[in-house]
């Protein structure tokens, strides 16, 4: 039986979706966020993605967000796991993985400062939101070497 939200249940937590995009060299595509006080994690390196619209599934949201933010399409999105952003938006974030071997400098970035591929061993020097760093480490630990 399908359960609907009732007055006694907590409202559904806000949801979001991000993509760990790697290229053939195993580098990860990161997005430098704008330095604006009204956004979550300003001036941090993060993954492409964003919030789900009301009633929108994370799998639909990530396809929309990749297109809106960077004009990026990939046909290989795989759902990985969920992590809650306890120190920022409070959203439950669904992580996806995908491969893309294009030139990130040619993508039409509509939000943020820049996109750049980084080798996993260089991530420690970057300012990355804790829940994103946790998700990347979880992904890298599970990836076949």
């Amino acid at each position: 039986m399908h359960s609907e939200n009732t007055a006694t249940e907590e409202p559904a937590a806000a949801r979001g979706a991000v993509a760990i995009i790697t290229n053939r060299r195993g580098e990860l595509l990161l997005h430098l966020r704008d330095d604006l006080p009204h956004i979550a994690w300003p001036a941090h390196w993060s993954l492409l993605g964003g919030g789900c619209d009301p009633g929108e599934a994370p799998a639909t949201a990530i396809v929309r967000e990749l297109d809106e933010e960077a004009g990026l399409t990939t046909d290989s999105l795989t759902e990985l796991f969920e992590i809650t952003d306890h120190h920022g938006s409070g959203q439950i974030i669904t992580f996806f993985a995908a491969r893309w071997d294009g030139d990130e400098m040619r993508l039409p970035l509509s939000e943020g400062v820049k996109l750049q591929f980084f080798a996993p061993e260089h991530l420690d020097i970057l300012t990355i939101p804790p829940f994103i760093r946790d998700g990347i480490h979880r992904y890298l630990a599970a990836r076949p070497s």
Side-chain angles (χ1 to χ4, degrees):
M1 185 170 175
H2 181 90
S3 92
E4 296 290 325
N5 269 354
T6 65
T8 58
E9 290 182 33
E10 291 288 315
R15 300 191 66 87
V18 295
I20 297 173
I21 297 172
T22 56
N23 62 18
R24 67 184 165 279
R25 295 180 300 277
E27 297 169 327
L28 286 79
L29 183 64
L30 295 182
H31 177 224
L32 182 56
R33 295 174 59 78
D34 288 307
D35 190 4
L36 300 171
H38 66 277
I39 66 170
W41 303 108
H44 280 65
W45 286 95
S46 192
L47 298 169
L48 285 168
C52 298
D53 289 339
E56 184 180 40
T60 304
I62 193 59
V63 171
R64 177 182 51 76
E65 287 286 344
L66 290 174
D67 181 52
E68 286 177 4
E69 290 184 3
L72 195 146
T73 56
T74 176
D75 55 5
S76 62
L77 280 167
T78 303
E79 189 169 329
L80 299 174
F81 45 75
E82 293 178 344
I83 295 180
T84 301
D85 177 9
H86 292 291
H87 303 292
S89 67
Q91 288 183 326
I92 298 169
I93 307 296
T94 303
F95 281 69
F96 292 84
R99 231 177 95 181
W100 184 74
D101 282 314
D103 178 356
E104 74 273 26
M105 301 301 184
R106 298 181 71 95
L107 290 171
L109 189 62
S110 68
E111 289 179 23
V113 178
K114 71 187 284 189
L115 290 168
Q116 187 172 335
F117 276 109
F118 288 95
E121 60 269 22
H122 296 147
L123 299 181
D124 288 347
I125 65 167
L126 301 176
T127 305
I128 298 174
F131 77 102
I132 294 290
R133 189 177 295 280
D134 290 349
I136 290 171
H137 284 172
R138 190 166 157 188
Y139 166 78
L140 292 173
R143 186 169 71 164
S145 21

